[in-house]
Amino acid sequence: MARDTVETHFIQAVTTLEAGAARDPGRPLREGGPLTGDLCRTLFQRQTDSRLLDIAARWLRGQGEGFYTIGSAGHEGNAAVAAALRPTDPALLHYRSGAFYLTRSQQAGRLPDEGLRDVLMGLAASTEEPIAGGRHKVFGHPDLAVIPQTSTIASHLPRAVGVAFAIERARALDLRSPWPRDAVVVCSFGDASVNHATALTGLNTAAYATYQGQAMPILFVCEDNGIGISVRTPRGWVEAAARRPGIEYFSADGCDLADSYAAAVRAVEHVRTRRSPAFLHLSTVRLMGHAGSDVESAYRTQRELRADLERDPLVGTARMLVAAGLITPEELLRSYESAREHVLRLALESTRRPRLGSAEEVMRPLAPRRPDMIAKIAPVAAEAAVREKAFAGSLPEADKPMTLSQSINRTLADALAVHPEMMVFGEDVAKKGGVYGVTRGLQKRFGPGRVFDTHLDEQAILGLALGSAVSGMLPVPEIQYLAYLHNALDQIRGEAATQRFFSQGAYVNPMVVRVAGYAYQKGFGGHFHNDNAVGALRDIPGVVIASPARPDDAAAMLRTCLAAARTEGSVCVFLEPIALYNTKDLFEDGDGGWLAPYVPPARWSETHVPIGRARSYGDGRDLTIVTFGNGLRMSLRAAVRLTQEGYGCRVLDLRWLSPLPVDDLIRAAELTGKVLVADETRRTGGVSEGVMTELLDAGFSGQIARVTSSDSFVPLGEAAHHVLLSEDEIEQAARKLLG
């Protein structure tokens, strides 16, 4: 294998070094600094191994046996950050964290080869890679407190803040946590990522919490190599962006191991003792390009490339060791060549290890379903005395029939009473009880530690949920309106949904995200409060989407979602139709047809709603109307009128938008041979597309039609009725199908 420029420069630079007088390896290498000769030698070995992994990655790629070449060359100073931390401190790492990972692995008592094999198996996409199992090359390991991240845009920062929040909240609530009570969260990222909205959310949330006196033990580490792929970061920008109220700023030359370690020790000590955030700014270089396919000469001058080579952190650490008389240049080069040969031999071995062999194998970690376990856990209620106290002696089952909003409120209260690790939070959910009063009274009953307001940032809300969930809690965040969810969808798509997939279930983030959604509100309109777009949610693998329309379904389905989160680590989105929150009647004013009594715990088992099970109304044999949400009420009203005219109609409420209740759907369709899908979401990308596809894939040969809302945003006022599905359209489409 030919030597590339970086490796050749290292060898030549070491050859010219002059050995100094031998020093005590147990003493600091620099006066007043914490880095000893012994530690420097150990960290240099991990820095060297990290560099050799980058060389191996390119060799594997050249052989067609490797699939990832974004490396850590030039960033090996992050070994010092790992050394300043404890192996039990949760870490969410930048993709250039090779030296950090290898150092952390050794800190935990593992042999050097174990860390090397971890990374090489990832490069070779082997199923024996210990975290993602060949699904991606990530730094992660449950035994090392390294939470795997696939983010290239700093989307892990809000989650990292959530982990720091959860450490302190678990201590305040006296809950068990996977992290020590004095743990520090470390989150690393590149300089270009500082500009991403998710990074700004993470930094702002930490600062906001600290400003209010809340503990936030997180260390942000920006490894600043001055360039994002080919776009330069303005000099001084990272420091300017980092300086925020409540966040202590530290900086160091990331190419100087002694300087990096000294700054990291100070930063970690600050966070650990004060329980407040710090920003460690490491100035690094990027060697060997952004990735193996990157031709740096196309956008960087030879002078710039040479300047980076002169700052090579591997050369810098070698210089310190040789100057301290801890090793001679000749010994260092012999050690390097031996390590190089060893790493390449391990790389070759990695190509012979098994890889994923089928779609089933790839998808296995996505969403394991345990319906029997969910059915056992969902009906569990708090002890009678605890419930009596939670409801102040007025149990909901003794109350009059409830609206959808009231039913959700009482179910949340019952869940908070039985699950001490559960938290309800979001914008306005505490004292106000949410815009629609759904969470009214919960904070008074369960305290501000478990029911609390956040600042107005959906990315922050979901980040807190993600970090809390991976830390052993059961978060139930509220997103105030469906349209607002799109501001932060990557926190579900790229962070929540991928966690189990890329860790083979070693790390999960169980949560139930409550979202007030859909349209048809009276006197309160406009796009941001009447959004009917769910396509972006439905295409996220593994995410459960519940869409209850009736009060009794909402209670049972919410209990199911909470049980799925607890037993399977499921990410559930609970879509609540705003227009039905306070609806009481079905056909006529005063009929109370949309109210339902609150089922007592003794009957929760018999009223349990499994994930992916629909609900059928009527027994007609002429037409099946398939619908959900607001469409259920409209369809039932239309079906009654048709029934009065002699047509036999049945209405199927899907209830679950992902996974769709396929078996129930096909059964209901075959009973009539005619299916009308009444879909309040948009015609393109809406739920009806999925329903019709499932019917066709199943070989349904009957007639199918659909009525939907238009491919439009929802306008203000009465104009909304021009683009939203109407009851009249459902009835007219049904008549057409019935002939």
Side-chain angles (χ1 to χ4, degrees):
M1 176 182 167
R3 305 279 187 177
D4 68 7
T5 303
V6 172
E7 196 173 18
T8 299
H9 175 266
F10 170 75
I11 293 170
Q12 291 174 346
V14 171
T15 302
T16 64
L17 297 177
E18 295 185 8
R23 303 183 196 176
D24 180 357
R27 296 179 61 82
L29 290 178
R30 291 182 185 165
E31 187 175 348
L35 184 68
T36 66
D38 281 335
L39 180 57
C40 183
R41 186 155 45 193
T42 296
L43 295 182
F44 177 69
Q45 291 171 343
R46 302 292 77 79
Q47 288 183 304
T48 300
D49 284 345
S50 178
R51 177 68 57 84
L52 293 172
L53 285 173
D54 290 346
I55 292 168
R58 283 157 172 75
W59 177 77
L60 286 168
R61 186 73 191 94
Q63 303 299 309
E65 298 285 358
F67 308 96
Y68 192 92
T69 55
I70 296 179
S72 305
H75 286 244
E76 291 90 354
N78 56 41
V81 181
L85 291 158
R86 299 170 185 168
T88 52
D89 289 327
L92 298 86
L93 301 177
H94 185 223
Y95 52 51
R96 300 195 191 279
S97 299
F100 183 110
Y101 182 81
L102 297 176
T103 302
R104 171 64 66 91
S105 179
Q106 186 180 33
Q107 280 180 315
R110 302 173 82 220
L111 297 174
D113 276 9
E114 292 181 272
L116 288 169
R117 284 197 175 94
D118 289 350
V119 179
L120 288 168
M121 292 297 180
L123 295 172
S126 169
T127 56
E128 294 180 359
E129 191 271 333
I131 191 70
R135 291 165 185 82
H136 200 1
K137 185 269 179 185
V138 293
F139 293 115
H141 202 296
D143 296 339
L144 305 180
V146 178
I147 303 170
Q149 300 300 315
T150 60
S151 170
T152 59
I153 58 168
S155 62
H156 58 303
L157 267 69
R159 179 200 290 273
V161 173
V163 174
F165 164 83
I167 290 171
E168 297 302 311
R169 190 52 52 100
R171 179 162 58 178
L173 297 175
D174 196 26
L175 297 172
R176 293 181 60 185
S177 170
W179 324 119
R181 292 199 165 195
D182 65 345
V184 166
V185 180
V186 62
C187 176
S188 60
F189 48 95
D191 51 290
S193 291
V194 167
N195 300 304
H196 275 289
T198 44
L200 299 176
T201 283
L203 294 168
N204 184 67
T205 303
Y208 185 87
T210 305
Y211 188 78
Q212 297 184 98
Q214 297 180 32
M216 185 59 66
I218 184 169
L219 174 62
F220 297 105
V221 180
C222 180
E223 299 177 21
D224 178 7
N225 60 34
I227 192 166
I229 305 182
S230 66
V231 179
R232 288 169 173 76
T233 299
R235 189 178 299 276
W237 173 245
V238 171
E239 179 177 355
R243 291 192 178 276
R244 294 166 180 266
I247 300 181
E248 195 73 14
Y249 176 81
F250 298 84
S251 65
D253 180 355
C255 298
D256 182 329
L257 189 67
D259 193 36
S260 297
Y261 183 64
V265 167
R266 292 196 305 273
V268 171
E269 179 67 13
H270 171 89
V271 178
R272 198 179 304 279
T273 57
R274 301 192 183 189
R275 315 307 290 168
S276 65
F279 189 106
L280 175 58
H281 181 194
L282 295 179
S283 174
T284 67
V285 293
R286 190 185 74 189
L287 304 177
M288 300 169 69
H290 173 71
S293 58
D294 183 30
V295 182
E296 284 190 295
S297 59
Y299 55 87
R300 301 186 74 191
T301 67
Q302 289 301 313
R303 182 177 180 180
E304 289 172 332
L305 295 174
R306 284 196 298 272
D308 277 1
L309 274 177
E310 292 303 319
R311 292 188 62 212
D312 184 345
L314 216 59
V315 174
T317 307
R319 186 180 293 116
M320 278 196 298
L321 289 169
V322 172
L326 298 173
I327 194 170
T328 66
E330 294 76 20
E331 290 171 332
L332 193 150
L333 288 176
R334 283 198 299 271
S335 174
Y336 178 84
E337 291 295 342
S338 176
R340 186 180 195 273
E341 181 181 343
H342 180 64
V343 170
L344 290 177
R345 185 168 60 250
L346 292 177
L348 179 62
E349 291 176 6
S350 73
T351 67
R352 300 166 182 158
R353 308 314 302 161
R355 291 173 178 158
L356 295 165
S358 67
E360 188 279 330
E361 194 175 359
V362 170
M363 296 166 63
R364 189 174 296 151
L366 260 179
R369 298 287 174 231
R370 302 170 65 189
D372 293 343
M373 185 63 69
I374 292 174
K376 290 180 180 179
I377 291 180
V380 174
E383 294 180 359
V386 175
R387 287 192 79 230
E388 285 277 351
K389 182 179 179 181
F391 288 106
S394 180
L395 294 175
E397 56 265 34
D399 206 344
K400 59 186 179 181
M402 297 182 178
T403 62
L404 178 70
S405 171
Q406 292 169 330
S407 181
I408 295 171
N409 175 279
R410 307 313 189 263
T411 306
L412 288 171
D414 252 324
L416 284 162
V418 74
H419 303 308
E421 74 277 19
M422 177 176 158
M423 299 184 299
V424 174
F425 54 90
E427 301 167 8
D428 301 310
V429 305
K431 289 186 178 180
K432 183 176 181 179
V435 172
Y436 299 96
V438 180
T439 57
R440 187 174 294 137
L442 295 182
Q443 187 185 63
K444 185 177 181 180
R445 295 180 190 178
F446 298 97
R450 301 185 63 198
V451 182
F452 54 90
D453 289 329
T454 65
H455 58 301
L456 276 62
D457 182 347
E458 285 71 29
Q459 290 189 118
I461 293 169
L462 293 178
L464 289 176
L466 288 164
S468 299
V470 81
S471 301
M473 292 186 168
L474 180 58
V476 183
E478 178 184 293
I479 301 298
Q480 203 165 78
Y481 291 102
L482 178 57
Y484 297 177
L485 180 64
H486 297 285
N487 300 340
L489 197 61
D490 189 58
Q491 289 296 293
I492 294 180
R493 178 186 301 279
E495 289 290 320
T498 61
Q499 189 64 245
R500 173 184 282 280
F501 184 73
F502 289 123
S503 71
Q504 303 181 89
Y507 288 105
V508 294
N509 30 224
M511 65 180 71
V512 180
V513 184
R514 292 182 46 250
V515 184
Y518 303 132
Y520 303 100
Q521 294 185 76
K522 294 181 179 179
F524 194 62
H527 160 63
F528 280 103
H529 305 105
N530 284 283
D531 188 19
N532 60 349
V534 299
L537 275 172
R538 288 196 65 246
D539 78 345
I540 303 176
V543 170
V544 173
I545 305 175
S547 183
R550 289 189 49 82
D552 44 351
D553 282 339
M557 292 169 68
L558 183 51
R559 286 193 289 269
T560 296
C561 287
L562 290 167
R566 293 186 70 240
T567 61
E568 304 170 348
S570 294
V571 176
C572 301
V573 178
F574 199 77
L575 290 176
E576 302 168 6
I578 298 171
L580 297 177
Y581 269 150
N582 299 309
T583 297
K584 297 180 180 179
D585 305 319
L586 175 53
F587 301 114
E588 300 175 353
D589 290 347
D591 68 12
W594 212 257
L595 300 173
Y598 191 84
V599 175
R603 293 186 52 224
W604 286 358
S605 292
E606 63 187 72
T607 58
H608 170 64
V609 178
I611 291 174
R613 288 303 307 271
R615 179 174 179 177
S616 184
Y617 296 82
D619 56 3
R621 293 283 178 157
D622 295 326
L623 175 68
T624 298
I625 303 177
V626 177
T627 189
F628 60 94
N630 291 288
L632 175 62
R633 186 170 181 271
M634 291 189 288
S635 296
L636 287 172
R637 289 164 61 91
V640 165
R641 286 193 292 272
L642 292 168
T643 300
Q644 290 171 344
E645 297 176 17
Y647 296 108
C649 296
R650 66 177 61 231
V651 176
L652 186 76
D653 179 9
L654 294 170
R655 298 196 293 193
W656 304 93
L657 305 187
S658 184
L660 285 170
V662 177
D663 292 342
D664 293 337
L665 170 64
I666 294 169
R667 187 181 305 110
E670 290 176 342
L671 284 171
T672 64
K674 294 181 179 181
V675 176
L676 174 64
V677 185
D679 178 7
E680 68 179 290
T681 65
R682 298 170 188 169
R683 190 167 186 83
T684 301
V687 176
S688 63
E689 290 184 345
V691 172
M692 297 179 78
T693 299
E694 292 291 354
L695 289 171
L696 293 172
D697 284 350
F700 178 67
S701 58
Q703 293 178 263
I704 309 174
R706 61 174 174 152
V707 280
T708 71
S709 294
S710 301
D711 286 342
S712 172
F713 300 108
V714 181
L716 192 64
E718 295 300 313
H721 298 303
H722 297 309
V723 297
L724 291 174
L725 173 68
S726 70
E727 191 174 311
D728 182 64
E729 286 175 315
I730 296 172
E731 186 172 345
Q732 294 307 315
R735 291 182 185 281
K736 186 176 180 180
L737 259 184
L738 289 165

